[in-house]
Amino acid sequence: HPQGVLTTVGAAEVAGPVLRGIRSMTSALAVLVNGEPGFVAWGAKGKVLGLVACTVVDGRIVELLSVNDRKLLDAMNLPARPE
């Protein structure tokens, strides 16, 4: 995976970082990422903190792809936090 993209395998390994990340964001919005479900998270000042894409198989999330590298996020031209 490119630099700034985190890959974690296993439910327990995924849950910890996701829960820690939730505490640092102030809002999130469900989005489609390349046709897959995901979400964008914003911090207190309205700046994008990260983008998460979920791979779903048989109704279960089997993989999360998290992007939090500032250069990658800026290059994606994600919107500021909606009001």
Side-chain angles (χ1 to χ4, degrees):
H1 292 290
Q3 183 179 359
V5 177
L6 173 67
T7 301
T8 305
V9 178
E13 290 78 8
V14 169
V18 168
L19 291 174
R20 285 190 298 277
I22 287 171
R23 286 191 281 272
S24 68
M25 66 184 182
T26 60
S27 62
L29 179 67
V31 296
L32 289 178
V33 181
N34 295 327
E36 296 287 341
F39 64 89
V40 178
W42 293 271
K45 295 181 180 180
K47 192 166 189 171
V48 173
L49 294 177
L51 173 71
V52 175
C54 306
T55 300
V56 178
V57 176
D58 295 329
R60 294 181 60 177
I61 296 173
V62 296
E63 180 180 46
L64 293 175
L65 176 68
S66 174
V67 180
N68 59 7
D69 179 86
R70 183 85 264 138
K71 288 182 183 179
L72 289 174
L73 292 170
D74 290 344
M76 291 180 196
N77 295 316
L78 297 167
R81 182 179 60 218
E83 297 299 323

